[in-house]
Amino acid sequence: MAKKFTPKVLTASRLLEGDVVYFDGTKWVSLLAEAKLFEHEDAAEAALAQAKARPDLFVGPYLTDAKVGPSGVEPLHFREAFRTTGPSNYAHGKQAEH
């Protein structure tokens, strides 16, 4: 029996900057809270295939489990929560803004 599909977001790293980005359904955004939450597997897989077809823009696109929280889309796994904070070596990118 196939595993039941759970809601997911599409994420990747932007090739030139290395920033973590999320697909909002029409464009790529830097905040997970603004990401599109895919409720249907076919739509999620189609978006993933389109991102994988752009190796000139994105590195390592993948789908990850998420849910809607009080402030928008939230990750379900620690790895994804950690990725939302930006680079861990020193404050730049998202970290410099906070």
Side-chain angles (χ1 to χ4, degrees):
M1 185 167 154
K3 183 178 176 185
K4 182 182 176 200
F5 181 80
T6 56
K8 303 202 182 319
V9 295
L10 175 57
T11 184
S13 293
R14 208 179 288 277
L15 180 62
L16 294 180
E17 299 90 12
D19 293 338
V20 174
V21 291
Y22 307 92
F23 188 62
D24 79 353
T26 57
K27 65 187 180 306
W28 291 85
V29 296
S30 61
L31 298 176
L32 175 59
E34 298 173 357
K36 175 182 177 69
L37 188 65
F38 288 94
E39 301 280 347
H40 301 285
E41 187 172 11
D42 291 343
E45 292 294 336
L48 177 60
Q50 288 181 343
K52 285 182 173 182
R54 296 301 313 261
D56 57 320
L57 297 177
F58 307 110
V59 176
Y62 64 94
L63 298 167
T64 186
D65 294 332
K67 66 177 181 174
V68 175
S71 299
V73 178
E74 297 177 349
L76 289 181
H77 301 289
F78 170 77
R79 177 180 192 264
E80 298 311 318
F82 186 74
R83 287 181 78 230
T84 66
T85 64
S88 59
N89 54 353
Y90 59 92
H92 64 277
K94 293 177 193 175
Q95 289 177 336
E97 297 170 7
H98 297 292

